[in-house]
Amino acid sequence: MSSIPDLSICITFRNQDCYIEPLLSKLLALSDRSRYAWELLVGLDHATCQALASAERIAKDHPNIRIFTLKSDANLIPLSRASTNRLHLLQQARGTYALLLDGDDEYQDIFDEAIDFLNEKNNVAFIGCAHQYIEFHEDTKQIIKVDPPYSDGAVVEYIDHATSGKYFPFNTVVFRRLIGLDALQDAELYCNDTTLTKLLLRIGPIRFSCKEVMSYRMGLPSIYSGAGSAAKLLSQIIVQEENLRFFPELRDHTLKNLAKLTHSAHKIKGGELDIAYGMQSRSRGLLLSCVVYELAQTSNPIRRLLLRLKLKHAFKQIVP
């Protein structure tokens, strides 16, 4: 195999110490089966001594594993830290192709077929290859099959996919690393995996494979699922409001999503959000998100009424 990796797998961990060694061991075993050279980049956010020791213990005998720790930043919400961690790993990667993986999920198979496809000269227009996944429910230890959103070999195009409601996890997409890095730079602070998928699709199509390559772990208090209802809602509003800037051609579709979310914002109670949410919304000039943050931080009935009116006015300002 070449000393330059063909595939870089960028794995982000936060408060997931127990998964570090088993996941890396599983990926090393898979890499032994592949015809292509892999490298594993481990990003430890809020690293404990145990996490760092676990990663270093398995990496010391495997030069294709590199470990990075994310510096503390109290101004970043956890979801933003995950995006920053992910982008940093992608910048450090050396592979021709890349995958992004959350630390509580795992891959079940190798990606040789996807790399074979992307290596073919006739397929140079394709930005990547997406795959099917399964769900692993932590509480019941059950594996649940998921219906694929597309047929095997389907060509997924930007506008059609973005407005269809269909979904595949971004973590299943093998993509051209350098092109993908350019596309994802704008998403440094926070975006969900559907935004990442759209950023890639805007550059070129993605081929879909029904091969089940990833186990998506359900039922754990992850960065998103472990957040409170107000934090989840504001995170979604931040995503959609930033999508207005990322994808102006999808404006009508995005505004429909924002209308539903801002309507739900009326129900959240006071004092539910960390100050970092307000700091980020202000620094990024996100009008709706700033008002929702204010609404979530007060229980005064008169102020809440005024903020609801302000929220309606703010939404009208961004509607053409």
Side-chain angles (χ1 to χ4, degrees), residues 14 36 74 101 110 151 158 186 196 207-208 303-304:
R14 180 180 170 86
Y36 294 101
L101 182 64
I110 58 177
S151 60
Y158 171 43
D186 287 340
L196 295 174
R207 182 181 186 271
F208 182 80
R303 178 148 177 77
R304 286 183 65 81

Side-chain angles (χ1 to χ4, degrees), residues 85-277:
N85 193 0
R86 184 170 50 216
L87 181 60
H88 178 252
L89 293 181
L90 197 55
Q91 290 168 337
Q92 299 301 316
R94 297 179 296 133
T96 304
Y97 304 104
L99 279 159
L100 306 181
L101 182 64
D102 297 332
D104 57 348
D105 299 324
E106 65 178 40
Y107 292 131
Q108 304 290 313
D109 211 332
I110 58 177
F111 300 90
D112 288 16
E113 294 168 2
I115 296 175
D116 288 344
F117 177 85
L118 293 170
N119 277 341
E120 292 181 15
K121 291 182 179 179
N122 291 339
N123 298 327
V124 68
F126 284 83
I127 187 66
C129 291
H131 299 80
Q132 182 58 355
Y133 69 103
I134 58 173
E135 294 178 354
F136 176 77
H137 290 251
E138 184 70 27
D139 51 351
T140 62
K141 307 301 180 185
Q142 284 186 306
I143 294 175
I144 306 296
K145 296 278 189 177
V146 179
D147 291 334
Y150 297 100
S151 60
D152 192 54
V155 177
V156 183
E157 304 274 2
Y158 171 43
I159 297 294
D160 289 344
H161 179 77
T163 57
S164 69
K166 294 181 178 181
Y167 172 74
F168 49 78
F170 189 80
N171 292 350
T172 70
V173 182
V174 179
F175 60 92
R176 302 184 192 277
R177 184 182 62 82
L178 290 176
I179 298 175
L181 179 59
D182 287 341
L184 304 184
Q185 296 283 6
D186 287 340
E188 178 178 0
L189 278 177
Y190 171 57
C191 62
N192 59 12
D193 68 343
T194 58
T195 301
L196 295 174
T197 300
K198 286 184 286 190
L199 285 168
L200 280 191
L201 281 171
R202 192 167 57 179
I203 295 175
I206 289 175
R207 182 181 186 271
F208 182 80
S209 169
C210 287
K211 181 180 180 181
E212 295 171 340
V213 300
M214 190 185 84
S215 174
Y216 183 73
R217 196 180 300 268
M218 309 286 287
L220 288 177
S222 64
I223 287 176
Y224 182 78
S225 64
S229 58
K232 287 180 180 178
L233 179 61
L234 183 53
S235 296
Q236 293 178 61
I237 291 173
I238 288 172
V239 167
Q240 295 301 326
E241 194 169 1
E242 289 194 328
N243 278 355
L244 288 174
R245 175 168 58 90
F246 291 152
F247 314 111
E249 61 277 9
L250 299 175
R251 184 178 180 85
D252 291 345
H253 181 75
T254 305
L255 286 174
K256 288 179 182 178
N257 292 333
L258 269 175
K260 295 176 183 177
L261 292 168
T262 51
H263 179 75
S264 300
H266 297 170
K267 303 174 185 178
I268 60 180
K269 301 175 183 178
E272 292 190 33
L273 292 171
D274 186 273
I275 191 172
Y277 281 89

